[in-house]
Amino acid sequence: MSAFSEGAPCWADASLPDLAAGQRFYGELLGWTFQDTGEEFGHYTMALRDGKNAAALMGKMDPSMPTAWSVYLAADDIAKTTAKVRENGGQIVFGPDTVGDVGVMGGAVDPGGSFFGLWQPGAHPGFGVVNEPGGFCWAENHTRDAASADPFYEAVFGYHGQQVGDGSTFDYKVWTVPGAPEPVAGRMQRGDLPADAPSAYRVYFVVEDCDAAAGTVRRLGGQVQQEPQDSPFGRMAAVTDDQGAAFAIIDVTRRVGPPPGA
C-alpha cells in the first residue's frame, strides 16, 4: 500500500538535455543537492532538500524526448491501473517496468493528450518533502479536452472534481481522491494553448519568495512565462528553466482572497 492515496501525485522528474546544467539551475533555485543513482539506472539523479527526496532529474536518452517535467500518480496495483487506463481510452506508452527494489513505473497518456507517470512504490515511496520550500506542492492538468479527460480520471482513479471557475471563461476543477482529505490535483481547460504546445501537467514547487525566485530564474537563464501574481493559494509564477522545461513556483505563505467556494 502506497503512502500516497491511489491517484495522488507522488513523484515528479524532469527530462533534460544537459543533466549537469539542470543540477546547477535547480540547485540554486530550489536549494537542492543531488545523488546519482548510478549507471545501472541511467544516472537518474535524485534531488534532495535537507536530505529528503524532493524530485529527480534525468538526462534525455533520446533527443526526440520532450524537455519537460512529469508527474507520477500513485498506483497500489500498477497492473490493474494500466488495464483501467486502456479500458477508458488512455494509452500506455511504457511499462510497467520494475526498477530494482525501489518500485514499478509506467507512463501513460490520457484521452486529452496529457502524459503522466504511474508509480507503485517499493523502497522508494515518493516525495519526502512537500508543501515547504524546495518541495512539491501541486500538479494540474492543462488540457485541450476536459470533456474527455474528466471521465477518464474519474473512472481510473475515482477522482471527484469540484468546479472552482465559472465553467466557461475559466474552466478549472480541483480533484479529490478517496482516502485523501484535501484535493490532490487540478484540471484546467486550455483552449488557448499554441498549436505546437501539447496538453500537459504543470508541476508546482514551493519557494520562500516568489518574486525573488522569479528573478533567480531569469538570472540563471530561464524565462518567466507568467509574472508573479497573488491568489488564495499563494503568490505564484509560471516559468521555464534554462533548457525549456516548464514548471511553476509558489510562495504558499502569501495568500490573498478567499479560496473558491468559501
Side-chain angles (χ1 to χ4, degrees):
M1 180 69 70
S2 172
F4 294 84
S5 298
E6 177 92 8
C10 65
W11 192 240
D13 59 26
S15 176
L16 303 172
D18 187 333
L19 182 56
Q23 293 181 43
R24 290 191 296 270
F25 181 92
Y26 290 101
E28 182 162 352
L29 178 66
L30 297 175
W32 289 349
T33 57
F34 300 94
Q35 185 175 62
D36 186 341
T37 60
E39 187 174 354
E40 179 185 0
F41 299 107
H43 297 287
Y44 191 82
T45 300
M46 305 297 288
L48 311 175
R49 174 71 186 232
D50 299 327
K52 300 174 184 177
N53 289 328
L57 306 180
M58 58 181 173
K60 294 202 293 187
M61 298 179 185
D62 182 338
S64 67
M65 291 174 62
T67 299
W69 276 97
S70 298
V71 64
Y72 291 76
L73 306 181
D76 292 338
D77 184 331
I78 199 168
K80 289 184 178 179
T81 303
T82 53
K84 286 183 179 180
V85 167
R86 291 188 177 101
E87 290 165 4
N88 290 280
Q91 297 179 329
I92 299 298
V93 295
F94 69 85
D97 297 323
T98 300
V99 186
D101 66 348
V102 297
V104 186
M105 70 186 303
V109 176
D110 68 31
S114 294
F115 172 85
F116 62 95
L118 295 168
W119 182 251
Q120 179 183 317
H124 173 59
F127 296 120
V129 55
V130 295
N131 298 326
E132 59 185 72
F136 169 86
C137 176
W138 186 245
E140 60 195 17
N141 186 355
H142 289 217
T143 181
R144 285 189 173 85
D145 190 359
S148 295
D150 288 357
F152 170 81
Y153 289 97
E154 291 164 3
V156 174
F157 295 110
Y159 277 19
H160 174 72
Q162 177 188 357
Q163 179 65 247
V164 298
D166 60 14
S168 178
T169 57
F170 181 54
D171 185 355
Y172 190 100
K173 284 185 176 181
V174 293
W175 292 105
T176 55
V177 295
E182 300 292 335
V184 298
R187 188 276 293 150
M188 181 181 288
Q189 170 70 31
R190 289 289 303 273
D192 60 335
L193 285 173
D196 60 346
S199 296
Y201 274 85
R202 177 179 291 177
V203 179
Y204 286 70
F205 293 106
V206 179
V207 293
E208 294 179 358
D209 182 317
C210 185
D211 295 82
T216 300
V217 167
R218 288 192 174 98
R219 178 170 56 79
L220 294 173
Q223 296 184 1
V224 178
Q225 305 293 344
Q226 183 180 36
E227 293 291 337
Q229 59 184 4
D230 292 323
S231 82
F233 306 103
R235 187 164 175 81
M236 64 183 73
V239 301
T240 58
D241 67 21
D242 57 341
Q243 300 183 67
F247 63 105
I249 50 177
I250 183 169
D251 172 2
V252 295
T253 68
R254 184 170 169 176
R255 304 185 180 194
V256 176

